[in-house]
Amino acid sequence: MTQDSAIDALLLELAARQISLTAENGDLHFRAPKGAMDSALRTRLRRLKPHLIDRLAPKTAPARASKQFSIGGTRPDHAPLVSPDWQPDDPFLRHVEPYKGYLLDRLGIAKTFPRAMGSHLWTEDGQQVLDCLSQYGSLPFGHNPARIWEALSDCRKMEEPAFTANAVSDAAGALAAKLVGLWPEAGFVGVTFTNSGAESVETALKLARAATGRAATLSTKRGFHGLTLGALSVGGSPVYRDAFQVPDTSQDCIPYGDITALEQAFERAPERYAALILEPIQGEGGIIDPPPGYLACARALCDAYGTLLILDEVQTGLGRTGAIFAAQAENVVADVVTLAKALGGGLMPIGAVLYRENVRTVAFGVRHSSTFAGGALACRAGLATLEMLTENEGALLDHVRTTGARLRVRLDEIAARHPDLVEGITGRGLMQGIRLRFDTLWQRPGLFGLLHAQKLMIHIAVSHLLNSGGIRLAPSFSSGNVLRIQPPLTITEDELEPLYTALEDTLSAIEAGRTSHLLRHYIGTDIDLPDPARGARTDRSPPRPHPAPEHTTDNGRFAFVIHPLEASDFLRLDPDLADVPADRMARMVAPLADYIDPVPVEALEITSATGAKAYGELIMVPYTPEDLMQMSVAKAAEEIGLAVRVAEERGAKVVGLGGFSSIVTQGGGSLVRPDGPALTSGNAFTSIAAAHAIRDAFRTDGRSCDTASVAVVGAAGMVGRAVSVLAAELAGRVILMGNPNRAQGLRRRGLELAAELVTKLRELAALRPPPPGSLAARVAKSDRPADALIAGLEAEGALVIADDLAGALAEADAVVLATNSTDRFVRAAHLKTGATVCDVSRPFNIHPDVAQTRSDVRLIEGGLVRPLSPLPHASLAGPAQDLIFACAAETMLWALDQSYDMVHPMACMEIPAMARLEEMGQRHGFRVEASKSFDAAGGF
Ligand code: PLP
């Protein structure tokens, strides 16, 4: 067992025994029900103590409650990103790209392409994909270009040495001569070879420093020059820099395309800059064109201030814009030009830096080198590339210009059809961008709105284009709303047709809020869904917009963490998913849930009978009970912890943990932080509600305490323990049924439960007199030691420690079901004639056949209460809209009383808090009653 799984196993064991564990001030603290802790457990705790402190320490609370991400990295590092449960089989995803791979995998983008040729790639299952990304413009002739392969195999045939340091390389010489000859008027005299774009940029910066004796570089915001440290220092997106302690050079980074900013920067520091570095069109920054005259102005200012102009043509160069150098369009010659990407013809990594005479220095000449740079194979690929770009009087460049112009016309047409969504088309040649505007979508309900709020829409668009449209393209990672279109330069207009069809389809679906269509590839194409062309559906009312956190008063503040019971509960949140079958919904929601922040889905203000008010929000975690139970304990706690953090940031003083959010966090015990909000599972009031429902049923039936038997199934659970205490006030006979699936030690655990029951009943008797005839009264009357008392009660049959379900249920006039089991194991045949069953478990434990075949049995949906005024909130309510879950009600009660100090996951379950809650419930007007009974059709 690994350390992590040992910790997980221990935490699960603690949860099963109702032991809460917290790490505060560098030490572990636990609260355990009597008898729950044994020496074996203590030893395990001691052995794992430092790891447990590490796992549970308050720092596990994310500093910012968001898992918002962009692959470029806007997501805070401390928030959970990759599920610790993710163990891909694929060695690439496991070892090479565990992080990006995880994100791309969830989005359905992480494909394997075993084959590619020209403009197309093929997936493992044979789907043809049009490559409109071409490795960010590095595949000028598409995949596997025959002539580049020939150039490489010629090297082999000729037995040309690949690497010959300190010798004269024919291949490198020939390529350098061709490069400086590409634009003879520019006056390039020197070429330094590199292995990548970033290395070209590093080289350019060194050249400039050596030539000017200055160190600083002026650069532009959103500029992208590669990810090595030097290149990062002139990059304009902090997201790439922040994690790497790249020195802050932001004072030297000015807005791109802004001539005034350029002038001011030089005026501020006339002798500061060795170089100004610019892309002729910003690529990664979002395909941003500078205004006409910008490059010429940059050239003039550089001349005036003795600064070198570096034009980074790594992406724009070598034909991408329809010219060898993009700057030729403005006839602006740089002192240094960086190239890479396309130079290798799509097969070899190679870069080159071209420079003019004024940049040449001895220092650079003798102090710079790079082992593999200028290798013969790469240079031969480069030579073939230049040949293909320039032969037939530049026919390929003409082709790029005409195809690019046609591309622009078609994209403009699409943009005109989607004016609300498309902000504009930018770039030129075969480097164009579609800038989208998602702000108009913010109010969209449901999953769609959630994905948008997480800034995922651009990635969803890319995923849909790939999976449904067979088009591979990339977003611009730093700007987050631009689709980059950069197909091979050799692409034909016919080949581009599917791009237009797919774009039209994707943009229409986004515009219409067609979640089901956009996420079609998760749902599967084998089922019919309504025609996407039908437009947005308006036949269901959207949930309210997210409440503003400012909506705060001096009143109590609470939040309640909820989760969908099954993936199809997302239906309630997204009208467009109405036709998606439940199993497909699960398939779709599961991978996306890891991207979705806990989200406030409802706001509510409640007023008590005393006039007190409390404001609260429901925070939804996008996981079903099944998801939560399958996660590691660590991940589940992290996810629920994030929801608590969201609640806290939005002003909640007490947070209730609904449903399984309490179960997977040891009733909230693993989330307790000294500086955090008060936490409660709401289990105490749930128990009170269940007991009172039975009490009301007994009153209706005119049953007296002395003759009644109440069975508590799940008596070892938090709710079960509390219900047992209250049941002992209702009935003369109580049957405790622990977890029948843990047969070993059932008797021992039963005796421990009984001992705890006796202690609590004695404590309760000190607060209020037990009703005559009840088990509680018999316990209160006796002063025998607990074990003797229990033995006596067992002998008389007043207290039963049951070891078989059928036997326990057959004798019970009332049954409370309070287990963690997801099975419906209580059948019609189990129940006594005229029995009352209160099912508190979610999912229910009672089998549908009971409602269908046993009209004599009264079925009560447990855990519901009626507040003073109805709170018609679907997410909080059971089937009857005027009732709310008791666990949520408990959270509201603490908020109405603003008595947050009493609230702690375990303390809430103790007698003083239980008694206080019962009193608060009455005072604030929450009627705990025999709530709605199931009818045969509903509920089950
Ligand atoms: N410069 C520009 C303009 C680029 O677009 C890129 C890469 O996208 C680079 C430099 C870095 O190139 P590489 O990824 O080969 O290091």
Side-chain angles (χ1 to χ4, degrees):
M1 205 189 274
T2 63
Q3 196 77 272
D4 269 355
S5 48
I7 294 170
D8 281 1
L10 178 56
L11 289 174
L12 276 173
E13 177 70 30
L14 293 174
R17 298 193 192 191
Q18 309 294 328
I19 299 171
S20 90
L21 188 67
T22 52
E24 285 163 33
N25 308 322
D27 207 353
L28 287 178
H29 306 269
F30 64 84
R31 297 170 79 102
K34 210 166 162 234
M37 188 62 94
D38 58 28
S39 64
L41 208 52
R42 272 178 211 281
T43 312
R44 282 164 74 193
L45 273 174
R46 218 173 298 121
R47 191 167 55 76
L48 291 169
K49 185 171 168 181
H51 308 287
L52 284 164
I53 292 177
D54 215 36
R55 175 76 76 81
L56 300 174
K59 68 174 166 41
T60 55
R64 222 191 89 203
S66 175
K67 29 185 176 175
Q68 223 169 66
F69 88 101
S70 99
I71 293 174
T74 54
R75 195 178 165 288
D77 288 339
H78 46 254
L81 170 65
V82 174
S83 162
D85 306 343
W86 199 58
Q87 294 290 341
D89 290 335
D90 185 286
F92 180 85
L93 296 176
R94 184 180 280 257
H95 303 298
V96 185
E97 290 285 20
Y99 299 102
K100 265 188 262 171
Y102 179 78
L103 299 172
L104 295 173
D105 180 71
R106 308 267 106 175
L107 289 168
I109 294 174
K111 303 264 183 225
T112 305
F113 295 106
R115 220 191 116 227
M117 183 55 73
S119 305
H120 294 101
L121 299 133
W122 285 270
T123 60
E124 279 170 310
D125 47 13
Q127 187 201 359
Q128 177 174 296
V129 171
L130 182 68
D131 194 348
C132 289
L133 164 62
S134 55
Q135 195 73 2
Y136 306 106
S138 306
L139 311 177
F141 319 118
H143 295 273
N144 285 307
R147 281 187 48 196
I148 307 295
W149 270 121
E150 273 162 30
L152 298 179
S153 66
D154 283 349
C155 293
R156 183 170 183 199
K157 277 189 223 135
M158 309 277 292
E159 298 183 350
E160 183 174 13
F163 298 107
T164 49
N166 302 329
V168 175
S169 162
D170 281 349
L175 180 59
K178 282 270 191 244
L179 283 167
V180 299
L182 285 171
W183 190 3
E185 302 76 22
F188 297 126
V189 295
V191 178
T192 299
F193 287 109
T194 69
N195 297 285
S196 69
E199 193 185 329
S200 290
V201 169
E202 298 283 340
T203 305
L205 297 177
K206 284 176 74 179
L207 278 163
R209 286 180 176 209
T212 59
R214 299 175 184 174
T217 309
L218 187 58
S219 58
T220 55
K221 294 207 160 62
R222 290 192 188 278
F224 185 87
H225 303 286
L227 296 179
T228 54
L229 288 176
L232 276 177
S233 73
V234 293
S237 299
V239 292
Y240 293 116
R241 286 200 309 260
D242 285 355
F244 306 106
Q245 284 91 49
V246 177
D248 182 14
T249 50
S250 51
Q251 86 275 13
D252 297 323
C253 195
I254 54 172
Y256 182 72
D258 182 340
I259 292 176
T260 311
L262 208 50
E263 287 167 347
Q264 286 170 347
F266 278 114
E267 277 162 22
R268 256 194 324 267
E271 295 183 2
R272 177 171 168 77
Y273 297 113
L276 163 67
I277 186 165
L278 294 175
E279 292 157 89
I281 297 172
Q282 283 191 334
E284 163 56 29
I287 317 284
I288 299 170
D289 304 300
Y294 180 67
L295 294 183
C297 176
R299 174 72 271 177
L301 285 167
C302 282
D303 288 340
Y305 288 93
T307 294
L308 297 174
L309 176 63
I310 302 173
L311 284 183
D312 182 350
E313 295 243 25
V314 164
Q315 194 163 153
T316 51
L318 302 175
R320 183 56 43 197
T321 65
I324 291 289
F325 300 101
Q328 280 171 309
E330 290 213 28
N331 205 22
V332 170
V333 178
D335 300 293
V336 182
V337 171
T338 53
L339 295 173
K341 295 202 194 282
L343 187 56
L347 288 181
M348 294 299 293
I350 175 172
V353 184
L354 280 52
Y355 54 91
R356 297 209 289 186
E357 188 59 49
N358 56 327
V359 180
R360 230 194 245 282
T361 58
V362 175
F364 182 85
V366 298
R367 296 272 177 264
H368 179 87
S369 80
S370 173
T371 301
F372 293 117
L377 274 168
C379 288
R380 293 289 171 206
L383 277 164
T385 300
L386 296 189
E387 205 173 282
M388 289 172 74
L389 285 173
T390 53
E391 68 193 359
N392 303 328
E393 296 168 19
L396 183 56
L397 300 181
D398 287 344
H399 170 81
V400 172
R401 283 193 293 274
T402 27
T403 317
R406 187 72 202 134
L407 172 67
R408 170 54 69 92
V409 169
R410 299 292 296 271
L411 294 182
D412 280 341
E413 283 169 8
I414 292 173
R417 283 196 290 275
H418 303 279
D420 289 342
L421 186 56
V422 181
E423 204 172 305
I425 311 292
T426 52
R428 64 177 186 269
L430 290 174
M431 175 174 179
Q432 299 200 28
I434 307 175
R435 180 168 295 274
L436 300 175
R437 175 180 28 214
F438 295 118
D439 47 353
T440 50
L441 309 176
W442 171 235
Q443 297 300 337
R444 286 276 162 69
L447 184 58
F448 190 96
L450 296 181
L451 294 172
H452 171 55
Q454 297 300 123
K455 303 199 188 321
L456 279 175
M457 239 345 128
I458 194 85
H459 301 289
I460 296 291
V462 168
S463 170
H464 184 251
L465 282 163
L466 175 61
N467 287 284
S468 297
I471 305 294
R472 178 169 145 85
L473 46 74
S476 82
F477 295 117
S478 4
S479 90
N481 56 355
V482 176
L483 295 172
R484 295 153 81 173
I485 301 178
Q486 298 178 282
L489 305 182
T490 45
I491 197 157
T492 63
E493 286 189 25
D494 280 353
E495 282 177 326
L496 276 170
E497 279 302 322
L499 168 69
Y500 309 129
T501 316
L503 278 172
E504 183 62 47
D505 179 50
T506 303
L507 298 186
S508 304
I510 294 177
E511 212 162 45
R514 299 306 313 267
T515 329
S516 61
H517 187 62
L518 283 170
L519 302 177
R520 189 66 151 131
H521 51 285
Y522 294 101
I523 299 167
T525 46
D526 55 325
I527 51 160
D528 285 338
L529 286 178
D531 176 10
R534 213 181 59 189
R537 301 172 57 127
T538 51
D539 50 341
R540 276 164 192 245
S541 57
R544 299 135 202 259
H546 298 182
E550 300 75 49
H551 184 87
T552 165
T553 60
D554 293 336
N555 300 323
R557 290 290 304 261
F558 67 93
F560 195 70
V561 178
I562 59 169
H563 56 73
L565 269 187
E566 45 191 66
S568 58
D569 283 2
F570 271 95
L571 273 179
R572 285 203 220 151
L573 290 171
D574 202 327
D576 192 64
L577 297 174
D579 301 298
V580 180
D583 62 322
R584 303 305 173 92
M585 191 81 75
R587 203 201 271 183
M588 175 179 71
V589 171
L592 291 172
D594 276 354
Y595 288 128
I596 298 174
D597 281 340
V599 59
V601 287
E602 301 265 9
L604 34 138
E605 198 152 30
I606 52 162
T607 310
S608 119
T610 67
K613 284 185 188 310
Y615 169 78
E617 295 177 346
L618 305 188
I619 313 286
M620 189 189 71
V621 179
Y623 297 100
T624 63
E626 211 180 326
D627 297 334
L628 289 168
M629 294 306 276
Q630 274 168 9
M631 279 175 201
S632 65
V633 175
K635 177 164 160 67
E638 210 163 4
E639 295 293 345
I640 308 300
L642 207 59
V644 171
R645 194 75 192 196
V646 168
E648 192 182 353
E649 279 179 6
R650 298 173 67 87
K653 296 281 190 294
V654 56
V655 180
L657 300 169
F660 276 59
S661 71
S662 134
I663 293 168
V664 296
T665 55
Q666 291 91 52
S670 68
L671 300 179
V672 172
R673 287 183 289 124
D675 59 340
L679 292 176
T680 175
S681 61
N683 282 340
F685 207 56
T686 299
S687 315
I688 293 169
H692 285 214
I694 300 286
R695 181 195 63 192
D696 290 358
F698 280 178
R699 275 194 195 145
T700 313
D701 296 349
R703 194 183 292 277
S704 84
C705 255
D706 312 27
T707 56
S709 302
V710 178
V712 182
V713 181
M718 264 199 205
V719 172
R721 281 169 202 256
V723 167
S724 307
V725 175
L726 301 173
E729 283 192 318
L730 294 178
R733 182 157 188 263
V734 172
I735 304 165
L736 302 179
M737 177 77 221
N739 182 349
N741 297 327
R742 284 181 63 211
Q744 217 192 2
L746 200 59
R747 172 79 192 154
R748 177 183 51 79
R749 289 198 311 276
L751 284 171
E752 284 166 7
L753 280 178
E756 182 188 310
L757 178 62
V758 165
T759 310
K760 285 194 167 169
L761 285 173
R762 284 174 168 161
E763 212 180 315
L764 188 57
L767 293 177
R768 61 188 186 207
S774 67
L775 173 64
R778 299 182 65 165
V779 171
K781 238 186 313 177
S782 161
D783 52 10
R784 294 164 74 189
D787 41 0
L789 174 60
I790 292 165
L793 291 171
E794 274 202 287
E796 291 168 39
L799 181 64
V800 180
I801 298 170
D803 55 9
D804 100 291
L805 184 73
L809 296 186
E811 298 173 18
D813 301 300
V815 180
V816 178
L817 299 171
T819 78
N820 289 348
S821 167
T822 49
D823 294 335
R824 298 184 141 192
F825 57 87
V826 177
R827 314 291 298 242
H830 282 128
L831 299 166
K832 185 175 171 181
T833 306
T836 292
V837 181
C838 178
D839 194 348
V840 181
S841 309
R842 296 293 184 282
F844 296 113
N845 290 152
I846 193 95
H847 195 274
D849 74 354
V850 179
Q852 279 151 17
T853 62
R854 292 288 303 268
S855 55
D856 61 307
V857 168
R858 179 191 279 111
L859 288 176
I860 298 171
E861 180 170 350
L864 294 176
V865 297
R866 188 184 302 279
L868 183 70
S869 53
L871 291 168
H873 294 286
S875 344
L876 262 191
Q881 290 286 299
D882 52 346
L883 300 175
I884 60 170
F885 284 122
C887 47
E890 177 178 327
T891 315
M892 293 172 192
L893 286 172
W894 292 119
L896 281 170
D897 247 35
Q898 300 199 38
S899 41
Y900 309 116
D901 293 350
M902 263 196 113
V903 190
H904 182 282
M906 295 312 286
C908 284
M909 300 309 294
E910 280 160 20
I911 293 297
M914 297 264 298
R916 171 82 184 274
L917 266 169
E918 250 180 317
E919 179 275 315
M920 280 200 299
Q922 271 164 17
R923 182 156 42 87
H924 291 298
F926 283 69
R927 288 221 318 280
V928 178
E929 59 182 82
S931 44
K932 184 181 181 297
S933 299
F934 290 120
D935 56 45
F940 296 105

